[in-house]
Amino acid sequence: MPPLQDQLDIVIPTIRNLDFLEMWRPFFQPYHLIIVQDGDPTKKINVPEGFDYELYNRNDIERILGDKAWCISFKDSACRCFGFMVSKKKYIFTIDDDCFVAKNPTGEDINVLEQHIKNLLTPSTPYFFNTLYDPYREGADFVRGYPFSLREGVVTAVSHGLWLNIPDYDAPTQMVKPRERNTRFVDAVMTVPKGTLYPMCGMNLAFERDLIGPAMYFGLMGEGQPIGRYDDMWAGWCTKVICDHLGVGCKTGLPYLWHSKASNPFVNLKKEYKGIFWQEEIIPFFQAITLSKENTTAEACYLELAEKVRKGLGPIDPYFVKLADGMLAWIACWQMMNKKE
């Protein structure tokens, strides 16, 4: 039986037929898929036969969430977080539909799920950096000088995978390096240290939904919003601050997938333009955040964080007040969809 077959859902946001699943069939077929269709809800999306899936479009989101459906972004891959909310599994893996199976240096297909599951089921080490990367993998260990009291590590909440071929660059970098490709396969996984933020990319990501799911909100992006392409960044900053507060870990590195096509840098610049300025204030805001000791769940932390966003980032632009409202609406929807029995 494949690892965590009954405990993991695969969430895919898309606007097109999912022919790319054929390539992933050997790895994904045993798992349940949640497909979130963006854009025109009347368009029929074809899913290859033999996959166990549920598909939601905008009409479904509005029917299920009612007057709070606005908190799920439209015409942006941030719509994927609706899939996180409706899942009933302990773990989530999410992937973009332009991501294909990569090969390792020996020419074998990389099973991304197997590696993400390994990352999630072994501890993280956010409090002390091990120079041999992941000390829990075969052929590695804690190096001399690593405190024995910290060698048990902590639970891993987030596993962030990387990409070969098209790197995940912002528009200005894309414009300067249009032909650059990532060909380097670095055979390593490391824990992002406590107190350090990182740019989280949503195209190859797994996390423990039970632990951090309520904080994995990809914000208000796309149609009707002044910003796009910061959805996964936003979720990354929020989840990292909350993971640090809860004493759980985030890993980055393996597994790699093959990112097949670069998006248009001029379109991207239009979406990112405000974010490029705003992030210079948003990041210090997140770096300075302290959450209350009494908040011991991702849900409680996220509600506190929403109010801090309103107060701390609201003065930059009214968008952040709306985003804080979206964060609260998201949690209200999460609670409605995930009532404790």
Side-chain angles (χ1 to χ4, degrees), residues 19-21 23-24 95-103 110 112 256-261:
D19 306 331
F20 93 119
L21 284 173
M23 179 187 299
W24 289 103
I95 183 172
D96 285 1
D97 62 8
D98 62 351
C99 292
F100 301 160
V101 178
K103 290 188 184 300
I110 296 168
V112 292
Y256 283 90
L257 44 64
W258 182 269
H259 185 207
S260 69
K261 59 177 188 287

Side-chain angles (χ1 to χ4, degrees), residues 315-331:
I316 298 174
D317 192 275
Y319 165 75
F320 291 99
V321 175
K322 193 176 173 190
L323 178 54
D325 289 339
M327 293 164 77
L328 297 177
W330 157 261
I331 291 292

Side-chain angles (χ1 to χ4, degrees), residues 12-317:
I12 306 168
T14 193
I15 53 168
R16 57 181 68 86
N17 292 335
L18 291 180
D19 306 331
F20 93 119
L21 284 173
E22 282 300 350
M23 179 187 299
W24 289 103
R25 191 181 287 278
F27 307 119
F28 289 2
Q29 195 158 4
Y31 296 89
H32 179 66
L33 311 183
I34 299 175
I35 299 160
V36 184
Q37 178 183 341
D38 198 16
D40 180 2
T42 62
K43 185 180 169 190
K44 184 169 172 14
I45 297 270
N46 290 323
V47 181
E49 277 182 33
F51 285 94
D52 169 39
Y53 71 93
E54 50 193 305
L55 189 153
Y56 297 94
N57 63 30
R58 193 71 208 174
N59 294 342
D60 300 315
I61 293 171
E62 288 179 357
R63 175 177 50 79
I64 293 165
L65 300 185
D67 62 1
K68 290 190 173 60
W70 64 271
C71 75
I72 303 295
S73 300
F74 186 52
K75 296 202 173 161
D76 193 278
S77 68
C79 67
R80 80 179 78 223
C81 58
F82 180 74
F84 308 161
M85 184 192 288
V86 297
S87 170
K88 296 288 176 268
K89 303 283 172 62
K90 184 177 182 179
Y91 299 97
I92 296 281
F93 168 62
T94 184
I95 183 172
D96 285 1
D97 62 8
D98 62 351
C99 292
F100 301 160
V101 178
K103 290 188 184 300
N104 66 21
T106 60
E108 299 160 305
D109 286 350
I110 296 168
N111 182 345
V112 292
L113 272 180
E114 183 181 50
Q115 180 66 50
H116 274 302
I117 288 165
K118 244 182 225 168
N119 293 349
L120 289 168
L121 296 185
T122 52
S124 288
T125 52
Y127 301 113
F128 203 90
F129 189 83
N130 192 53
T131 49
L132 251 189
Y133 306 115
D134 183 0
Y136 302 101
R137 73 182 286 183
E138 209 178 319
D141 212 323
F142 292 96
V143 297
R144 184 170 55 90
Y146 200 102
F148 283 88
S149 58
L150 294 176
R151 291 189 183 193
E152 257 182 46
V154 300
V155 171
T156 301
V158 178
S159 169
H160 177 256
L162 298 173
W163 356 263
L164 292 168
N165 195 34
I166 306 288
D168 187 31
Y169 285 159
D170 53 37
T173 312
Q174 269 184 302
M175 286 171 178
V176 179
K177 299 179 168 181
R179 282 183 287 281
E180 185 158 305
R181 298 294 179 263
N182 183 31
T183 55
R184 254 187 329 171
F185 179 97
V186 181
D187 187 14
V189 176
M190 61 181 90
T191 299
V192 184
K194 182 178 194 279
T196 302
L197 296 171
Y198 70 108
M200 189 182 85
C201 170
M203 68 173 119
N204 178 17
L205 178 73
F207 59 92
E208 185 175 329
R209 183 183 176 278
D210 288 358
L211 197 56
I212 202 68
M216 203 51 92
Y217 175 49
F218 277 47
L220 289 173
M221 302 281 152
E223 189 168 272
Q225 308 304 337
I227 184 174
R229 282 175 57 81
Y230 271 85
D231 50 331
D232 40 10
M233 297 295 127
W234 182 259
W237 298 327
C238 292
T239 50
K240 184 59 168 67
V241 161
I242 291 172
C243 282
D244 286 352
H245 175 77
L246 297 177
V248 296
C250 301
K251 291 181 184 178
T252 184
L254 301 178
Y256 283 90
L257 44 64
W258 182 269
H259 185 207
S260 69
K261 59 177 188 287
S263 42
N264 183 316
F266 296 97
V267 173
N268 290 348
L269 185 60
K270 206 172 165 187
K271 291 177 181 177
E272 291 171 4
Y273 184 74
K274 287 196 159 139
I276 289 167
F277 291 101
W278 287 347
Q279 71 186 11
E280 301 305 323
E281 294 184 65
I282 296 169
I283 290 166
F285 162 79
F286 278 106
Q287 286 170 327
I289 273 177
T290 311
L291 296 169
S292 310
K293 282 194 173 68
E294 58 264 27
N295 288 332
T296 56
T297 64
E299 218 167 277
C301 289
Y302 204 67
L303 290 172
E304 182 184 357
L305 188 55
E307 293 312 327
K308 287 188 184 298
V309 166
R310 186 189 309 281
K311 200 171 160 190
L313 297 179
I316 298 174
D317 192 275

